[in-house]
Amino acid sequence: MASNGGDKKLHIVMFPWLAFGHFFPNLELAKLIAQKGHLISFVSTPRNIDRLPKLPPNLASHLQFIKLPLPKLHNLPDNAEATTDVPYNVVPFLKKAYDALEPPLTSFLESSNPDWIFYDFAPYWVGPLASKLGIKSVFFSIFTAPAMGFLGSPSGLVGTDPIRKKPENFLVPPPWVSFPTTVAFRYFEIMRISDSLSDDNESGVSDMYRMGAGIENCDIVAIRSCSEFEPEWIQVLENIYRKPVLPVGQLPSTTYDDNEKEEEKNDTWRWVKDWLDQQRKGTVVYVAFGSEAKPSQEEVREIALGLEKSGLPFFWVLRIQRGPYDEDVLKLPDGFSDRIRGRGVVCTSWAPQLRILGHESVGGFLTHSGWTSVVEAIQKSKPLVLLTFLADQGLNARVLEEKRMGYSIPRDERDGSFTSDSVAESLRLVLVEEEGRIYREKIKEVKDLFVNKERQDRYVNDLLAYLEEYKKTKLGAKAG
């Protein structure tokens, strides 16, 4: 492994929130740092670690997985260790169990004595814990700079900011953003996540408070972003956080081919590829809404009928339930499967997203706007049709609309409803029609910003240089 001079290597702990949209960016950053010869301890629960992709052999000695069993909670089903395992209303109990990892994490940190810990938005208690143990801390945001900039300062997030008291206040850009932008929530988007703004949930702590306290109590903030793509938003973060904000690049997904030797995954890809091979180049709509978002029954109906009306071939990865304890199992419209046989596939299990997006028959991606999915689409030059559901997805969609990188399906502002006709028209616009050419071209234009290996490498080198220098400066100050 290449080393930067004779410097002592860093030992960095990473502690992501229990969601696959959080594991993967953390793991990509962990792999990039491990490649430089530093030691990473990636901490999560046993079942989640077992579900992560295998590592390339050359990283095995630099990236270790640490399994901390998730404490048992009365309201949390057995084997539920990630958001994908439970219905949306059970996620607060998952946060409560995650908060109960503080004692075992403390023991691990005391025994391993790392230099730094990178933590996610949920464990708001890690900053003070690290500080008490003499460990430096990084709040690592997998949310983008525009999303974080829109949400505001740590003091505002923990609830001492007078400006935004009602959901309606989130429908316009805030006063601390000094440039013109459309980045804001739509009414239905903020109402769908209004529970995360309040402390009145089963975990007892709002997502906003978790985030604000996490930022307030860290030494530095690292963010999944690149300054060439959104410099003005990174500046907003520096202004409102009043501490160093380091972009770490877009962290495009990398796969290690030995993974594909896992029989089940190989078999899935084999039949998916056979079907894609039979379709015309650039005509297939790939539809997937990530591991978090689950459409309502009404939304599934309109999406299905919209795909049917579009006349385009499609491959739809549909999560019909969030884990085995979700009683609300989604159903396709009567007769739909017969009518689309041969033209469309609905897959209700895991599918290899990056490989599907890379297939030449895929012409576009109907997505929830989760940033990992967005980055993967850009990696494979596929234009985006957007249908947001929760969390930061609305803010991501505004950025993509603003930059003409994605087109949002028209919806009712109040309740977020949409029609099958608007689904069909949006898909045809972005994949087929002359008017939508801008979306097909823009994605190709920005690709280099997102996937350029040298640029990504530079971000990681800059981050590591900063971490090393910061540590030295603080130690020097202590000695002095």
Side-chain angles (χ1 to χ4, degrees):
M1 300 258 169
S3 96
N4 315 352
D7 286 349
K8 171 188 170 292
K9 291 303 178 182
L10 296 170
H11 176 197
I12 295 170
V13 172
M14 297 190 90
F15 186 54
W17 163 234
L18 307 176
F20 282 88
H22 291 246
F23 295 142
F24 291 134
N26 272 273
L27 190 57
E28 289 302 338
L29 183 58
K31 290 194 286 192
L32 290 164
I33 293 172
Q35 278 167 13
K36 310 279 180 191
H38 299 278
L39 174 63
I40 297 279
S41 296
F42 192 99
V43 179
S44 193
T45 64
R47 187 159 180 244
N48 289 324
I49 284 173
D50 291 343
R51 291 187 282 188
L52 291 174
K54 297 285 178 286
L55 292 176
N58 66 319
L59 293 185
S61 58
H62 290 279
L63 208 172
Q64 58 183 10
F65 290 116
I66 306 297
K67 296 178 175 181
L68 299 183
L70 193 66
K72 288 260 181 276
L73 270 196
H74 170 58
N75 303 78
L76 201 59
D78 286 346
N79 288 329
E81 296 188 9
T83 53
T84 191
D85 301 326
V86 292
Y88 186 64
N89 63 326
V90 180
V91 171
F93 295 109
L94 192 63
K95 291 195 175 110
K96 205 171 180 173
Y98 184 69
D99 290 339
L101 285 171
E102 184 172 356
L105 181 67
T106 304
S107 301
F108 171 70
L109 293 174
E110 284 173 338
S111 64
S112 58
N113 193 26
D115 301 292
W116 289 88
I117 181 167
F118 281 52
Y119 63 94
D120 212 323
F121 85 96
Y124 62 100
W125 38 269
V126 167
L129 168 63
S131 178
K132 192 174 80 187
L133 298 175
I135 299 163
K136 297 294 163 205
S137 63
V138 178
F139 178 90
F140 174 38
S141 172
I142 63 121
F143 304 112
T144 63
M148 296 300 284
F150 176 84
L151 290 175
S153 69
S155 63
L157 289 165
V158 297
T160 54
D161 181 50
I163 293 172
R164 296 198 287 201
K165 290 294 183 197
K166 300 198 299 288
E168 287 78 2
N169 304 144
F170 289 84
L171 307 184
V172 292
W176 55 83
V177 175
S178 58
F179 46 87
T181 181
T182 57
V183 173
F185 284 109
R186 293 165 71 179
Y187 183 79
F188 68 88
E189 289 168 340
I190 195 66
M191 292 317 291
R192 284 183 180 200
I193 58 167
S194 56
D195 58 335
S196 68
L197 309 179
S198 119
D199 291 332
D200 186 21
N201 70 59
E202 295 296 345
S203 84
V205 187
S206 73
D207 286 355
M208 292 299 195
Y209 183 91
R210 287 174 185 278
M211 198 173 268
I215 296 162
E216 210 156 43
N217 293 314
C218 71
D219 291 295
I220 67 173
V221 174
I223 189 149
R224 183 185 197 175
S225 187
C226 58
S227 41
E228 297 89 343
F229 184 63
E230 46 207 5
E232 70 284 16
W233 283 105
I234 293 169
Q235 188 57 59
V236 166
L237 294 183
E238 289 185 339
N239 297 345
I240 61 179
Y241 292 171
R242 301 200 175 102
K243 58 179 64 182
V245 176
L246 302 181
V248 299
Q250 297 290 358
L251 305 173
S253 300
T254 55
T255 51
Y256 163 52
D257 283 339
D258 198 47
N259 271 350
E260 310 311 335
K261 293 197 177 116
E262 295 169 39
E263 270 316 300
E264 190 187 345
K265 291 188 173 181
N266 229 357
D267 288 348
T268 303
W269 173 236
R270 206 170 290 124
W271 73 258
V272 172
K273 183 178 183 300
D274 284 348
W275 186 84
L276 290 170
D277 286 346
Q278 293 164 38
Q279 312 307 316
R280 283 204 345 270
K281 184 177 175 182
T283 59
V284 175
V285 182
Y286 173 58
V287 187
F289 304 119
S291 61
E292 293 274 314
K294 181 188 163 197
S296 68
Q297 184 58 61
E298 181 57 28
E299 288 168 338
V300 164
R301 184 177 172 277
E302 296 306 313
I303 294 164
L305 297 178
L307 287 165
E308 189 178 341
K309 287 176 182 177
S310 75
L312 296 164
F314 63 87
F315 190 98
W316 183 4
V317 181
L318 173 63
R319 296 192 61 217
I320 56 170
Q321 57 187 147
R322 282 181 63 136
Y325 302 94
D326 184 357
E327 290 167 12
D328 178 22
V329 182
L330 298 173
K331 294 180 177 63
L332 293 164
D334 288 345
F336 174 74
S337 301
D338 293 330
R339 295 194 302 273
I340 55 90
R341 185 162 285 121
R343 173 161 75 82
V345 171
V346 180
C347 171
T348 56
S349 57
W350 176 88
Q353 177 158 298
L354 199 59
R355 290 187 128 186
I356 293 171
L357 285 168
H359 196 282
E360 65 173 16
S361 72
V362 173
F365 184 9
L366 172 52
T367 173
H368 59 312
S369 311
W371 206 249
T372 293
S373 286
V374 168
V375 173
E376 290 187 345
I378 295 167
Q379 268 179 274
K380 302 300 182 183
S381 308
K382 304 301 182 193
L384 298 163
V385 181
L386 312 173
L387 190 64
T388 63
F389 293 97
L390 39 90
D392 58 329
Q393 294 162 13
L395 301 175
N396 294 344
R398 295 309 91 75
V399 172
L400 297 167
E401 293 158 7
E402 215 171 64
K403 295 180 183 283
R404 306 298 294 278
M405 290 164 60
Y407 178 81
S408 285
I409 291 174
R411 300 170 81 163
D412 181 278
E413 284 301 319
R414 301 299 291 177
D415 65 11
S417 60
F418 54 91
T419 65
S420 55
D421 287 336
S422 64
V423 172
E425 286 157 17
S426 303
L427 292 173
R428 292 198 63 81
L429 170 77
V430 172
L431 268 78
V432 182
E433 287 161 19
E434 186 55 36
E435 199 190 332
R437 180 185 289 276
I438 180 76
Y439 301 105
R440 303 191 287 274
E441 288 179 348
K442 264 288 181 225
I443 284 291
K444 291 178 185 147
E445 272 175 39
V446 299
K447 180 175 177 175
D448 187 62
L449 273 186
F450 279 66
V451 304
N452 181 297
K453 278 195 168 65
E454 288 74 29
R455 181 182 286 110
Q456 180 60 70
D457 198 49
R458 191 173 70 243
Y459 277 112
V460 175
N461 283 337
D462 290 350
L463 170 71
L464 289 167
Y466 196 97
L467 298 182
E468 286 164 341
E469 192 53 42
Y470 190 98
K471 188 86 183 151
K472 266 190 229 154
T473 310
K474 296 290 170 187
L475 286 172
K478 255 187 196 169

